[in-house]
Amino acid sequence: MLDVAAEGHFSTKERILGAAEDLFAQYGFAGTSLRQVTQHAEVNIAAVNYHFGSKENLVAEVFRRRLDELSDKRLTTLRAALTEQPGQLEPILAAFIEPALALTLDRHGGSAFVRVLARAYAEKNERLRKFLSDNYGHVMREFSKAIAGCLPDLGKEELHWRLDFVAGALTYAMADFGLIRRPSARAEKIHCQNAAAALIRFTAAGLRAP
Amino acid sequence: MLDVAAEGHFSTKERILGAAEDLFAQYGFAGTSLRQVTQHAEVNIAAVNYHFGSKENLVAEVFRRRLDELSDKRLTTLRAALTEQPGQLEPILAAFIEPALALTLDRHGGSAFVRVLARAYAEKNERLRKFLSDNYGHVMREFSKAIAGCLPDLGKEELHWRLDFVAGALTYAMADFGLIRRPSARAEKIHCQNAAAALIRFTAAGLRAP
DNA sequence: GTCTATATAAGGATAGAC
DNA sequence: GTCTATCCTTATATAGAC
């Protein structure tokens, strides 16, 4: 989605967000200059400060735009799974994994965003971590509770580790996934579903390990 | 290990490497300036270019210093496991996981390096990726073959995904691990062993999933 | 090998015209 | 809301004295 022409009919603000997402994914937050962003978005350099105030705010907005939707989708699916298929682990994992991997199929830069997410994890930037924790921490906590309910024999510490492993496997899978260019949208969709299914099998077995 | 005093008896070159490792872990490669590095190392700004030629070479040296040792340890342990305990999955995973997690116990900045590794993964920098692939790609290939030997029924594509999940879980675990400050060296060592054991259980079960 | 000083470029942010 | 022009800071890298 480095092809800016594909974003030509969006507003200046949206064009900046799209370009920033692409570039942050490729070069990181510190490694991307606002000049690069505005150049790729084909807007004026001053537009960033007019619309976002600062680079830091722009970074936060890049996250908010995708994470609000992702979190909603995850929680809605989770709650449906808990009422319709109570006590089952796989539907919970599917609610966590599938909406995330589906982002890689998004035609408007979602595939870049999964790499941005992977970067955010490595980032030790306090402000960014606090922003993510404050705004989206409740999602992980709700999933954590749901999974714990399926695995009553697991110790609290062991559960915490294993959830970390699940998140790591997903992040890695998503970021790697975003690198591969597949021939058609159809092949891409099938590949994504296969990856999600494989990850659910893997993590379900791992979580159930004695 | 941001306490530079602890590195006072090292050479200028080693002090620079140590400071760079700490700062790269915390702020990323692009987010760390050579001025910060030389300031923390308590050496002159010109020393970086004298000893390393450029920032890019410094980054590569930071990796080489740790990865040469890590790769040796991993491969030695792997080969021993293959002859002494043939056909068993857990010893192979232990050879992959334990030397990496042991780095977090290193008194001389190894704990920072695991975060640097996590960052490198998110990095799309072509030069860095090529450097890592050229110099350390053979390690992953050897492990891949060993694990495939234990799981003859697994399809090639499925195996490839699952290895990605293992690497992701390990990277995540290591990076998270480096954040936690534990009271004593003894507690830290026990905690590290527990984490390694948990990760081996998790990934072994995941790899064996039907 | 280590310093000071500096060349040269790029960064974020803003002021003020339109 | 969007532009040009510019301020000010910081960056990498190097030249040349010691």
Short mmCIF file of all heavy atoms in Angstrom, two decimals, chain B residues 28 73 88 110-111 120 146 154-155 181:
data_model
loop_
_atom_site.label_atom_id
_atom_site.label_comp_id
_atom_site.label_asym_id
_atom_site.label_seq_id
_atom_site.Cartn_x
_atom_site.Cartn_y
_atom_site.Cartn_z
N GLY B 28 15.52 1.61 20.40
CA GLY B 28 15.58 1.16 19.01
C GLY B 28 16.83 1.69 18.32
O GLY B 28 17.56 2.50 18.86
N LYS B 73 26.44 -22.10 21.04
CA LYS B 73 25.86 -22.83 22.18
C LYS B 73 24.64 -23.64 21.73
O LYS B 73 24.48 -24.80 22.10
CB LYS B 73 25.47 -21.84 23.28
CG LYS B 73 24.98 -22.47 24.56
CD LYS B 73 26.09 -22.56 25.60
CE LYS B 73 25.59 -23.19 26.91
NZ LYS B 73 25.73 -24.65 26.90
N GLN B 88 13.83 -37.48 20.27
CA GLN B 88 13.04 -36.78 21.29
C GLN B 88 12.94 -35.28 20.97
O GLN B 88 13.93 -34.64 20.63
CB GLN B 88 13.68 -36.98 22.66
CG GLN B 88 13.47 -38.39 23.21
CD GLN B 88 13.94 -38.50 24.65
OE1 GLN B 88 13.70 -37.60 25.45
NE2 GLN B 88 14.62 -39.61 24.96
N GLY B 110 23.56 -8.87 28.60
CA GLY B 110 22.82 -9.86 27.82
C GLY B 110 21.32 -9.68 27.95
O GLY B 110 20.58 -9.93 27.02
N SER B 111 20.92 -9.20 29.12
CA SER B 111 19.49 -9.00 29.33
C SER B 111 18.96 -7.91 28.41
O SER B 111 17.80 -7.93 28.03
CB SER B 111 19.23 -8.64 30.79
OG SER B 111 19.89 -7.45 31.12
N ALA B 120 14.98 -6.35 16.38
CA ALA B 120 15.51 -6.71 15.07
C ALA B 120 14.44 -7.41 14.25
O ALA B 120 14.35 -7.24 13.04
CB ALA B 120 16.73 -7.60 15.21
N ALA B 146 15.97 -30.88 12.44
CA ALA B 146 15.91 -31.76 13.61
C ALA B 146 14.48 -31.94 14.10
O ALA B 146 14.06 -33.06 14.42
CB ALA B 146 16.78 -31.18 14.73
N LEU B 154 3.89 -34.39 10.10
CA LEU B 154 3.51 -33.00 9.91
C LEU B 154 3.83 -32.54 8.49
O LEU B 154 4.91 -32.78 7.97
CB LEU B 154 4.27 -32.13 10.92
CG LEU B 154 3.51 -30.93 11.50
CD1 LEU B 154 2.22 -31.38 12.15
CD2 LEU B 154 4.38 -30.22 12.50
N GLY B 155 2.85 -31.86 7.86
CA GLY B 155 3.08 -31.32 6.53
C GLY B 155 4.16 -30.25 6.56
O GLY B 155 4.42 -29.65 7.60
N ARG B 181 12.27 -6.89 36.95
CA ARG B 181 13.43 -6.85 37.85
C ARG B 181 13.13 -7.72 39.05
O ARG B 181 12.19 -7.47 39.79
CB ARG B 181 13.69 -5.42 38.31
CG ARG B 181 14.35 -4.56 37.31
CD ARG B 181 15.87 -4.62 37.37
NE ARG B 181 16.44 -4.34 36.06
CZ ARG B 181 16.74 -5.29 35.17
NH1 ARG B 181 16.56 -6.57 35.43
NH2 ARG B 181 17.26 -4.99 34.00
#
